[in-house]
Amino acid sequence: MITTENKTNLLATKQHFEILDGLRGIAAIVVVIYHFMEIAITDYNKNFLSHGFLAVDFFFCLSGFVIAYAYDTRASHIGVTQFFKLRLIRLHPLVVIGSILGLITFLFDPFSDFYPVYGFGKTLLLFLTSAFLIPYPVMPERYTNLFCLNAPAWSLFWEYVANIFYILVLYKLNKKLLIALVLVGAAGICYVALRGANANLGGGWGGQNFWDGGVRVLYSFSAGMLVYRFNWIIKNKLGFLGMIVLLLVAFLFPYADAYNWITEPIIVLFYFPLLVALGAGATLNTGAKNLCKLSGDISYPLYMTHYPFVWVFLTYVAVVKPTMSTLWVVIPVSVILLIVLAYLIMRFVDIPLRKYLKAKFLP
């Protein structure tokens, strides 16, 4: 007889796709650099990393593959409550940590003074809605982001939605229905690309483009599930370095308003699922295993803790108006420091906290 404890242990010991873990970390670093660069160079056509926001679509696709791999054969045995506990313990501590950092930088940003404008009540609401992932787009100074203290939390909101639908509906879908869902999502991606005000797929983060996030997660999450369900794992010898190069191609591809409505849907609809299939089948050299593990481990902490400091960078640029030669020093140093901070938070806060929560709430 399989007990609840045995089921949890099985989940804990199931094989990891190490190169996919490593690629998640590379994509997280790309996101951090992109967030600095879009402030430093506001003209997307002149920014070498203008497609960096597509890393979120890669995350969604990767998540669909990994969730299906980890839970498809076990979801009915684990049950809804246990699944929610596992996902909340994995994801939510860093949502709260990111919200705390967001509150600290909101209160003590040396280049802005938002607290007198918003006061105690609204500031408290900003924190609570961020910590509980409730969209609250009330700050025009921050482009009416859904989560004004920690902007990337918008994608976690949609990740939670995808996880809820997965355990309630998606894992039960047969292959034909899953294909139909993928096609609906693909049509949505094409629609968003054709009508996007900024000629790109970079919506979902703000009150004005809220539903774009739903379209992006619908396609990419279900496409990742499809890669797993059909076992589209392509055996290859590209290794971690080869896969990094292929991943970076998607983000470094030249940006132009005239043809983004074609190129970005191609990247999201076809290229990212292909990368997941290749990454799952790539052979990893022994020497790169530790690097892949570190990259994967730090990816989520980095993603969820960097943006409060990007808000400070935004006000710094607005107030100080530094030269580009200065920014070319500030940005790399900031990225390195944020990676170090993410590692420290992961090791000394997130991991111990998750261990405590597992011991307390999981059988």
Side-chain angles (χ1 to χ4, degrees):
M1 180 178 178
I2 301 178
T3 65
T4 304
E5 181 177 1
N6 288 334
K7 294 169 198 169
T8 305
N9 289 337
L10 283 171
L11 279 175
T13 58
K14 196 165 185 181
Q15 174 192 349
H16 290 285
F17 291 99
E18 292 162 314
I19 286 182
L20 292 181
D21 286 342
L23 292 180
R24 187 187 296 109
I26 300 300
I29 293 172
V30 166
V31 168
V32 176
I33 298 172
Y34 164 75
H35 282 149
F36 281 106
M37 290 301 300
E38 71 171 342
I39 295 170
I41 303 175
T42 55
D43 185 349
Y44 273 40
N45 295 284
K46 296 179 181 178
N47 187 339
F48 74 93
L49 201 57
S50 288
H51 294 295
F53 60 84
L54 293 179
V56 174
D57 300 271
F58 179 71
F59 290 144
F60 286 150
C61 189
L62 195 55
S63 178
F65 177 85
V66 170
I67 291 293
Y69 171 73
Y71 293 103
D72 260 13
T73 58
R74 302 165 180 176
S76 60
H77 301 294
I78 294 171
V80 173
T81 301
Q82 186 78 345
F83 178 83
F84 285 157
K85 286 181 181 179
L86 288 166
R87 299 309 294 155
L88 282 169
I89 289 172
R90 176 66 186 95
L91 297 175
H92 213 75
L94 278 164
V95 172
V96 177
I97 292 166
S99 300
I100 293 170
L101 291 174
L103 179 62
I104 291 170
T105 55
F106 180 87
L107 294 174
F108 301 107
D109 182 350
F111 305 103
S112 68
D113 195 11
F114 288 131
Y115 183 74
V117 176
Y118 287 89
F120 176 78
K122 194 165 281 189
T123 300
L124 179 61
L125 274 177
L126 284 169
F127 173 73
L128 292 176
T129 52
S130 178
F132 289 98
L133 283 183
I134 302 169
Y136 187 49
V138 295
M139 286 189 70
E141 302 92 343
R142 293 182 172 180
Y143 314 108
T144 62
N145 266 269
L146 297 179
F147 301 95
C148 299
L149 296 186
N150 193 20
W154 76 266
S155 62
L156 265 294
F157 170 84
W158 287 111
E159 176 73 18
Y160 272 39
V161 171
N163 277 241
I164 291 168
F165 273 92
Y166 172 81
I167 195 61
L168 296 179
V169 178
L170 296 183
Y171 88 89
K172 303 173 186 176
L173 293 185
N174 59 39
K175 290 180 179 179
K176 289 183 179 179
L177 288 175
L178 184 57
I179 290 173
L181 189 65
V182 168
L183 292 176
V184 170
I189 289 290
C190 293
Y191 170 75
V192 169
L194 284 168
R195 70 102 175 95
N198 295 319
N200 64 39
L201 291 174
W205 48 266
Q208 65 272 42
N209 52 49
F210 173 79
W211 291 108
D212 290 5
V215 172
R216 292 172 73 182
V217 74
L218 170 63
Y219 173 77
S220 292
F221 190 90
S222 58
M225 288 183 61
L226 199 68
V227 172
Y228 169 73
R229 292 273 180 91
F230 281 86
N231 197 30
W232 289 336
I233 295 175
I234 303 171
K235 298 294 183 181
N236 63 85
K237 297 182 180 180
L238 288 166
F240 186 40
L241 181 59
M243 288 303 306
I244 289 175
V245 171
L246 290 181
L247 179 62
L248 291 180
V249 165
F251 308 131
L252 298 174
F253 192 86
Y255 187 99
D257 292 338
Y259 55 75
N260 279 328
W261 65 275
I262 299 175
T263 56
E264 289 187 353
I266 288 173
I267 291 170
V268 171
L269 297 180
F270 303 108
Y271 193 61
F272 284 156
L274 174 63
L275 287 184
V276 171
L278 287 169
T283 302
L284 181 64
N285 295 328
T286 304
K289 284 189 176 183
N290 289 337
L291 180 60
C292 279
K293 184 179 186 309
L294 177 62
S295 179
D297 288 346
I298 206 171
S299 59
Y300 183 48
L302 178 61
Y303 184 74
M304 287 304 292
T305 61
H306 77 280
Y307 211 91
F309 303 96
V310 175
W311 285 133
V312 177
F313 178 76
L314 173 64
T315 55
Y316 159 73
V317 170
V319 173
V320 178
K321 296 180 173 55
T323 63
M324 281 306 301
S325 59
T326 300
L327 292 179
W328 285 123
V329 175
V330 171
I331 291 173
V333 170
S334 298
V335 171
I336 292 169
L337 290 175
L338 287 171
I339 291 172
V340 173
L341 175 65
Y343 174 79
L344 294 174
I345 289 173
M346 174 196 73
R347 182 168 180 181
F348 297 108
V349 183
D350 182 45
I351 290 177
L353 182 55
R354 285 192 285 120
K355 284 182 178 178
Y356 167 78
L357 292 173
K358 285 179 180 178
K360 185 173 181 64
F361 293 106
L362 295 179

